[in-house]
Amino acid sequence: QQQVKQSPQSLIVQKGGISIINCAYENTAFDYFPWYQQFPGKGPALLIAIRPDVSEKKEGRFTISFNKSAKQFSLHIMDSQPGDSATYFCAARNSGSARQLTFGSGTQLTVLP
Amino acid sequence: DAGVTQSPTHLIKTRGQQVTLRCSPKSGHDTVSWYQQALGQGPQFIFQYYEEEERQRGNFPDRFSGHQFPNYSSELNVNALLLGDSALYLCASSREKRADTQYFGPGTRLTVL
């Protein structure tokens, strides 16, 4: 299975709150798990990424938590700001030669001022 | 340092026509992948080019073809356009030797009428 399942589809949080987006995968051939942020009319921009031998990675207000045994990973956005309002995609990279990305279906985040 | 660039930004075609989209990778990158992003969905892998050869293909018909030039830039061609081909077409580049993750361009919005 090449699917990556992402939830929730949409998320509304207050400014200063914590935004949490969850993803699950089935294919054990995935070896790298990036998160992308996409604004309307733009291409996805790499936000943060993690490898499966690490359980957590933090960069500024963004943290990835990774549970290899459960095949789940999540993005936490601390102190959410209105400027964080965008669509977030989790992805998983195949370990084969092409290392293509399989994306989740996306989460539309709205941070209210 | 220029990122990934794509042209044109927008394109309108009619059913049955053919279209060519262009991509210039990020400086220092030698691998180009193409993705299709339908409205409200995550990007889906079309194919990847490395050393001017198609290395991997996703679940897309032969109407989708591509090319990579010696300067690493790439083209995506779609023949016999269908209404369902309307989407944002994204180009992503990476470096083969460093197995970096992929950096995306702004995309070409294709509308098929």
Side-chain angles (χ1 to χ4, degrees):
Chain A
Q1 276 292 356
Q2 294 289 324
Q3 273 191 322
V4 175
K5 296 182 180 180
Q6 183 172 347
S7 63
Q9 185 175 358
S10 62
L11 182 61
I12 300 174
V13 301
Q14 294 286 342
K15 178 181 176 181
I18 302 173
S19 304
I20 302 175
I21 304 171
N22 301 299
C23 286
Y25 66 98
E26 297 176 359
N27 189 348
T28 56
F30 293 141
D31 68 349
Y32 187 68
F33 299 86
W35 284 86
Y36 286 85
Q37 179 189 55
Q38 186 175 31
F39 292 102
K42 305 293 184 182
L46 179 64
L47 193 60
I48 186 173
I50 196 168
R51 299 187 186 280
D53 54 348
V54 176
S55 61
E56 185 175 283
K57 182 174 181 180
K58 183 176 181 179
E59 290 183 0
R61 296 185 293 110
F62 301 92
T63 300
I64 300 177
S65 297
F66 191 89
N67 185 329
K68 187 175 181 178
S69 61
K71 297 181 186 175
Q72 295 175 348
F73 57 111
S74 60
L75 175 69
H76 292 65
I77 305 174
M78 312 300 288
D79 188 26
S80 298
Q81 299 296 312
D84 297 331
S85 297
T87 301
Y88 293 80
F89 292 96
C90 62
R93 188 182 72 182
N94 194 289
S95 59
S97 60
R99 295 188 287 270
Q100 72 265 31
L101 294 171
T102 299
F103 283 83
S105 54
T107 296
Q108 186 169 351
L109 171 65
T110 302
V111 181
L112 301 176
Chain B
D1 177 25
V4 180
T5 60
Q6 292 186 243
S7 63
T9 304
H10 296 88
L11 206 50
I12 300 175
K13 293 285 188 179
T14 57
R15 282 178 296 174
Q17 285 189 313
Q18 178 263 346
V19 68
T20 298
L21 311 181
R22 295 176 175 82
C23 170
S24 292
K26 184 177 170 64
S27 178
H29 286 190
D30 55 8
T31 302
V32 173
S33 302
W34 287 92
Y35 291 80
Q36 180 194 65
Q37 185 177 21
L39 199 61
Q41 298 182 20
Q44 287 199 323
F45 176 74
I46 302 174
F47 44 52
Q48 183 181 90
Y49 276 83
Y50 173 65
E51 292 187 329
E52 302 179 47
E53 299 273 342
E54 180 183 300
R55 176 157 67 179
Q56 185 88 23
R57 171 180 281 264
N59 189 25
F60 280 81
D62 292 344
R63 298 186 297 108
F64 290 77
S65 63
H67 189 77
Q68 186 179 34
F69 299 94
N71 67 353
Y72 309 120
S73 67
S74 177
E75 288 182 350
L76 164 66
N77 301 290
V78 187
N79 294 320
L81 285 167
L82 304 174
L83 295 178
D85 294 332
S86 295
L88 181 67
Y89 288 86
L90 296 162
C91 170
S93 73
S94 56
R95 283 178 287 190
E96 173 69 11
K97 289 188 176 180
R98 287 195 54 180
D100 285 344
T101 195
Q102 297 172 19
Y103 294 86
F104 284 82
T108 294
R109 172 69 65 186
L110 172 64
T111 301
V112 182
L113 302 176

